[in-house]
Amino acid sequence: MSTAVKVEHLSKEYRLGVIGNGSLWKDIQSWTAKLQGKPDPWTKINEESRIGKRERFWALKDINFEVQQGERLGIIGRNGAGKSTLLKILSQITAPTEGVVKMRGHVASLLEVGTGFHPEFTGRENIYLNGAILGMSKADIDRNFDEIVAFSEIEPEFIDTPVKRYSSGMYVRLAFAVAAHLNSEILIADEVLAVGDVKFQEKCLGKMKEVSEKQGRTVLFVSHNIGAVRQLCQTGALLDHGKLLMLDNVDKVADEYAKLIGQ
Amino acid sequence: MTSDKETWDVVITPKRMWLGLNLKELRQYKDLITLMIRREFVSVYKQTIFGPLWFVFQPLMSTFLYMFVFGNIAQMGTDEIPQALFYFSGTMLWTFFATTLQKCSDTFINNAGLFGKVYFPRLTMPIAYVTNAFFTLLIQFAVMLVFYVYYLANGVQFSLSWWILTTPIYILQLALLGTGFGIMISALTTKYHDLRNLVSFGLSLLMYATPVVYPISSIPVRWKVLFQFNPVAPVIEMFRYSFFGKGSCNLKMWAYSLIVSVVVFLLGLMTFNHNEQTFVDVV
């Protein structure tokens, strides 16, 4: 089995506080004042100069791990541990400050259900649009179309109605159905199951497990629902304050997480 | 596992590239581009009374307005080109440039929600915007030809020139200028939201510094130097010269405008590439 995802020394830094003055004109004034060696005209009294002042915050610090192909990794941690930042970097939404991520295969990330759905478009049109946004070709969607509709449990007579008329449950089911049928080697999912009823959540977990086992896809899954993580994943990664505390069998990691919250 | 090292499909590093057009990646997303164009195009007229007529409504109304205000009240010349054709052709080309610029300059702000949740080549959106504007232009061009035939049938003589063959270049130039300036500004508007107001204001000012509602020949000599810096001006003049045989055909200015178009586009691409990977943290 080969490595699907390899993360080396990954760090992400954010700057805190107000960056710049928020308007180009004020920034130009501050900048020219700095060039002339004068004090920044927009500095508040008793405050250090704005430019050059950099309060930093490491959302992630020196993360290293590997995920094998076909493995299902659950990433858990408290709020603000860096889980979402990690997934954002893996999904290429934002660039890391340091480190390298290498991945083998096409990556599909599902950070939010229904991204790019256009309310004026019908269910059918949105399946194509959403699929394309997630990186599927038209031919892929054509092939999976019936299966997607069946999975979403949306009655066929609604599929040509604009999605703005859908109930929120229908909306979510359709969106997840598209994502579940992606032909990607790596699937990244963040808290996507927080929506939908319990029965549909079960179905989604089952589907993710199935594609991973049958087609050897790699799944990276973030959730606060430890039950769901235990059910889906084999390995777990525990993040806290931007550091990787533990990478082990999912049950051990979940126990460690329980201790962490218990403190 | 030694062979592993060379075969990664995706490598994410902190480095940002300046000039690079990942055409291979864009090709992979060609279905998305098609759908985005369709989405842009259709959303103009979904749930409207006039439907697709909106594509010609706006330039027609502007033409009537200009005929009334500039043609009749202000008595401004049109190089002996029939007023309707003169104003319509100007508005049509200007709108193509201005819409492209404006839409592209809002790329990051309007798509922040989408870009913050899923990765696809960000250039998809500007490409969809410019193509959509191009289709609108084609429809309007067809309307212009209807006017053209009408005037021909009424005995107006046009001396068509061979320059008509370079029409695609004029359009390409406007596309490069609009997209180039647009994506350049888009990189800045993520940080400075007030630039958006400047864009719409600046565009309406620039329209009056472009021969849209008057011909270059009517400008006093001492102001002509101003027009030499406006890369859009020679394109519109050349277009009118090609189709109506009137107006100026200044090849030096056109060559300048061509060079500016390419340079602006490349600069735009550079700033866009540089910005796309981290804008999420700034917007």
Side-chain angles (χ1 to χ4, degrees), chain B residues 218-250:
Chain B
S218 70
I219 303 158
V221 180
R222 61 194 167 119
W223 294 117
K224 277 209 169 129
V225 67
L226 277 178
F227 287 81
Q228 286 173 358
F229 292 106
N230 181 353
V232 189
V235 185
I236 294 184
E237 274 300 290
M238 284 297 286
F239 182 90
R240 286 195 184 124
Y241 180 78
S242 312
F243 279 84
F244 314 125
K246 307 261 173 56
S248 57
C249 168
N250 187 332

Side-chain angles (χ1 to χ4, degrees), chain B residues 2-3 44 50 116 135 168 191 218 270:
Chain B
T2 41
S3 63
V44 171
F50 293 107
F135 284 133
K191 206 171 169 196
S218 70
M270 275 166 71

Side-chain angles (χ1 to χ4, degrees), chain A residues 5-68:
Chain A
V5 182
K6 190 171 185 179
V7 175
E8 291 167 338
H9 305 294
L10 191 72
S11 301
K12 175 73 182 177
E13 179 191 51
Y14 282 112
R15 280 165 66 185
L16 288 182
V18 180
I19 301 165
N21 297 304
S23 90
L24 182 57
W25 179 235
K26 288 181 182 174
D27 270 3
I28 290 172
Q29 286 177 314
S30 297
W31 184 68
T32 47
K34 193 186 164 206
L35 281 188
Q36 295 167 350
K38 289 182 192 164
D40 184 345
W42 293 101
T43 310
K44 293 198 182 89
I45 295 171
N46 295 334
E47 192 193 57
E48 294 291 306
S49 165
R50 279 170 175 275
I51 289 180
K53 185 189 84 167
R54 293 195 165 187
E55 279 188 41
R56 289 160 183 284
F57 164 72
W58 291 96
L60 288 177
K61 188 74 188 157
D62 201 22
I63 303 286
N64 294 282
F65 66 87
E66 277 186 29
V67 184
Q68 300 303 316

Side-chain angles (χ1 to χ4, degrees), chain A residues 223-238:
Chain A
S223 182
H224 284 287
N225 181 347
I226 299 303
V229 176
R230 277 187 205 253
Q231 196 185 331
L232 177 68
C233 305
Q234 305 133 317
T235 38
L238 180 60

Side-chain angles (χ1 to χ4, degrees), chain A residues 174-233:
Chain A
L174 185 65
F176 190 86
V178 178
H181 291 82
L182 287 171
N183 286 327
S184 60
E185 286 84 7
I186 302 170
L187 179 66
I188 296 177
D190 185 8
E191 286 294 355
V192 283
L193 299 178
V195 285
D197 58 23
V198 181
K199 207 179 119 240
F200 194 73
Q201 284 185 15
E202 287 285 322
K203 188 170 167 182
C204 296
L205 282 180
K207 178 77 187 177
M208 282 201 271
K209 202 166 186 170
E210 183 198 311
V211 293
S212 168
E213 276 166 2
K214 284 196 185 148
Q215 295 158 31
R217 294 193 207 169
T218 312
V219 178
L220 301 185
F221 181 64
V222 162
S223 182
H224 284 287
N225 181 347
I226 299 303
V229 176
R230 277 187 205 253
Q231 196 185 331
L232 177 68
C233 305

Side-chain angles (χ1 to χ4, degrees), chain A residues 3 12 24 27 89 91-96 99 101-105 115-116 121 125 128 137-138 164, chain B residues 1 4 7-12 14 31-32 35 38-39 46-47 114-115 117-119 192 194 277 281:
Chain A
T3 312
K12 175 73 182 177
L24 182 57
D27 270 3
I89 293 171
S91 318
Q92 299 186 63
I93 285 162
T94 183
V101 179
K102 295 167 182 166
M103 289 187 280
R104 193 168 284 135
T115 313
F121 278 18
E125 288 167 326
Y128 281 95
S137 71
K138 192 172 173 296
K164 64 179 176 183
Chain B
M1 299 276 272
D4 256 23
T7 55
W8 301 102
D9 294 312
V10 183
V11 177
I12 304 169
D31 288 334
L32 176 64
L35 282 163
R38 211 183 100 77
R39 170 171 132 161
K46 269 223 170 163
Q47 226 176 47
L114 190 54
F115 286 179
K117 292 295 175 192
V118 61
Y119 173 79
Y192 306 110
D194 45 359
Q277 281 175 297
D281 307 333

